[in-house]
Structure formats: C-alpha cells, structure tokens
Amino acid sequence: MTTKLNNPVWVMSSAFDKLSLPELIQTTKRIGAGGIDLCVFRKDGTREDHTATHLDYDDFTPAKAREIIELFNQADLKLSLGAFENMIGGDPEQRVKNQNHLLKLIRIAHLLGGDANNVKVGTFVGYNHELGNQIDGFQKNLEEYKRVFAPIVNYAESLGVTILYENCPMEGWRSSRYSSTYNNLPAVLAARKLMYAMIPSKAHGEIYDPSHDVWQNTNPIEVIRNTDISRLQRIHVKTTRNLQTAARIDWGGMYPMQHVDAELAKKANVSIPGHDWDRHHYEAMLPGFGGSDSMDWRGFVDLLQERGFSGPFEIENEAKNSKDTGDFSATVQGFTTCLNFLAPMLWDLEAEVGYSYKKSQPLKDLNVKDVPVVTIDELI
C-alpha cells in the first residue's frame, strides 16, 4: 500500500459567520478537522454573501497573537487568514479600503508566525471593468494588478508571509444585466501563470478550488498537471454538479446566461437569470454529501499526492443541501461527511483506528517583532 502524504483537512469559517471564535474552534473539533481558514472580512465591507469576521483586525497586538497561538495549540488546530474582495476594480473608495485591509491581515499573519507557522493570507484580486471594456482590457488588468500587488507582495515577503489568490471568477459579483461574468483576474490558469511571470517573488501563490473550473468545462486534473506545484498552498474542497437544464441548452455551456427583457423571453420561451448568480447552470455541492458531482475526486487527489502537494485540504461549505439550508446541524453534517469522504484518499489506515491524520507539530510562539500598520499609499 502506498504511504499517503498525510495532508491535513481544515474547515473554512465562512460557513459559521454567526459563531464566536471559541464556538468555531469547538465546532471544528466536533467535525474532526485539523485547522481553520479564518475568514476576516471587513466589518464595514460591501459583500453580502460572505461576512464572517473571526479576528479583531483593528487592535491586533503581539500579545493577542500569543493568545491566539496558545488557544489554537490547546485545541490542537492550525490556522490561516483570508478576506476575499475586489482589490483592483469596483468603487475606488472601497478598493482602497480592501487593499488596506489586506495589509492589516499580512501584518497579523506575521505576528502569528507567518510562513514559519504556515499562516498564509487568502485574497481575491478582482477585476477592473473600466479597463477591461477597453481594447487590450485583459492586459491592462494584468498591468493594474502588477501596479497594486507588486508592493503588497514585496511587503508580505519582507515579513515572511505568503499571500494566496483564489481562482473563483466571482460570476455573480455584478448584476446579471452585464454580459461578462469574469470578475476576478486569477480565475483561469493562464492568468495565474502570467501573474507569476510579472511578479516572480515566491511570497504569493494560490488556493485552488476545482469547483470553479468544473462549470467552466475545464478538467481540474489537467489544471493541476499544468500548475507550478510550488505555488499551490491550499486546496478548497468544494464541488459542482453541472445541471442539464433548458437554460444550458438555450445558452450553451461556454458563455453565461444573459439578461433580456422578461416579456420577450417569455414570448420566445427562453430562460433568463433568476438572480445575479444564476448564470452558469450548476449546483454547488460538497463531495460525498447527498449526491454525485461532476469531477473525479480520486484522480484529482491522487495526482496532487503524486506531485507532492502537502498543504491543507480546506472544506468550503456552500452546498445547497448543507450550509445553504441555514440549518446548523446540516452544515456540520456536511463538513463531517466530506471529511470522511476524503480520509481514505489522504491518510494511512491504522489497525483499530481507521484512516487517521498523524498530528503535526504545534504552532510556535516565535516572539516576532511588532511592525506598525501600513496603508497602500505608503507602499505605492
């Protein structure tokens, strides 16, 4: 039997936005996971779909960092941080607030030990549609990305912290009355390759969520085969069931469903979006919980192990039959079932124990030097 790489399984805290940090830790232990990707969204942010904020980011001190490290070590858990906003587009005032918030999270990760404790900072890049609507709009977004993120990545590198981009296109981030659903630059592999070529530093990498490629009719296994594995730090465990609906037949599987006059659509018997996220004919699911999905998880995990991926598999629960029910028990049940689905693929079998994770070393209190909060105008 091949020895597994012993990847940990974590939970992403976005599904538990109403829980306090102690309650979140208790629930994570109940699920059986080994860590938490803490969502730390702005309390004054504009997102309505994700609002979890599990750390006090405005008054975070070295003493608070030591308290958090002790709290997580007592629970035998690991952690990372993340807030996922538009950093290069959207409302200019909100954009700057998002950039400054990311800088606060990089500082917090530094105080928690940064890369030495595997504490990374997750983010989106976003997209600037004012530039994107121009000729060479994608190239102009790449250049805006470099202008904004080169100093941010340099700052993170100076503190021993790595920032990670998630590949969600954020297809419902704008009104369905817009034709494009490409709202986050690193949504495709080509973009991520170009981003690393523009900013070669190793202080940035990626969180890969295969569910987003599934509905884009792209095989996640082939994406992993062509990914720079040194950049890959996290896997989001979430999946997609592509729906074979009349809307998919009407609009196809390549481009988003478009908004047209409702009376005209009714007359023509054509489907139109029911809401801003209703564009690509899929259903969000958790692997192993309540039905089959549209990807080969065994092949996907096997290739990751073959390529030496040793990072956490983070369960991101957005499943319609779990987190989206609004029922706490169904949410926890979805996480637990998904973890058990992954266990035989990730962990070795032990007699009278089953498939189990071999615990890693505790978080270190590195007593790192405090640094002041910086803002984007000080870096650019």
Side-chain angles (χ1 to χ4, degrees), residues 48-158:
E48 297 179 356
D49 52 340
H50 286 296
T51 58
T53 302
H54 285 114
L55 282 181
D56 183 358
Y57 53 81
D58 277 329
D59 298 301
F60 202 88
T61 63
K64 184 65 176 177
R66 288 190 291 273
E67 179 185 321
I68 293 294
I69 289 171
E70 183 179 355
L71 183 65
F72 273 74
N73 279 340
Q74 286 175 350
D76 197 16
L77 296 175
K78 304 298 186 291
L79 77 154
S80 271
L81 313 174
F84 300 86
E85 306 279 4
N86 195 340
M87 300 289 169
I88 65 171
D91 178 79
E93 182 180 351
Q94 295 299 322
R95 185 187 319 169
V96 171
K97 288 183 178 181
N98 292 337
Q99 293 164 359
N100 288 336
H101 186 69
L102 176 59
L103 293 172
K104 288 181 181 179
L105 296 192
I106 293 170
R107 173 182 171 272
I108 291 172
H110 160 71
L111 295 177
L112 290 168
D115 292 340
N117 274 333
N118 198 19
V119 179
K120 315 291 185 182
V121 179
T123 185
F124 286 151
V125 172
Y127 202 76
N128 187 312
H129 287 282
E130 291 182 5
L131 297 175
N133 290 334
Q134 301 173 19
I135 192 169
D136 295 326
F138 198 86
Q139 175 65 36
K140 290 176 180 177
N141 265 272
L142 284 168
E143 291 164 359
E144 180 64 4
Y145 155 76
K146 182 179 180 181
R147 186 187 74 83
V148 172
F149 271 87
I152 293 176
V153 172
N154 183 61
Y155 173 69
E157 186 171 22
S158 74

Side-chain angles (χ1 to χ4, degrees), residues 176-177 251 258-273:
S176 60
R177 296 175 68 184
W251 295 100
Q258 304 292 344
H259 183 92
V260 297
D261 178 78
E263 287 300 318
L264 175 62
K266 183 177 180 181
K267 183 177 180 180
N269 192 28
V270 166
S271 304
I272 59 174

Side-chain angles (χ1 to χ4, degrees), residues 37 47 61 67-68 105 142 148 157 163 188 206 215 230 256 266 307 309 326 365:
D37 193 343
R47 288 196 64 175
T61 63
E67 179 185 321
I68 293 294
L105 296 192
L142 284 168
V148 172
E157 186 171 22
I163 61 175
V188 293
E206 61 196 74
W215 65 254
S230 70
K266 183 177 180 181
R307 297 206 63 202
F309 173 72
D365 183 356

Side-chain angles (χ1 to χ4, degrees), residues 270-281:
V270 166
S271 304
I272 59 174
H275 51 81
D276 291 341
W277 289 92
D278 181 26
R279 308 292 299 278
H280 286 282
H281 334 297

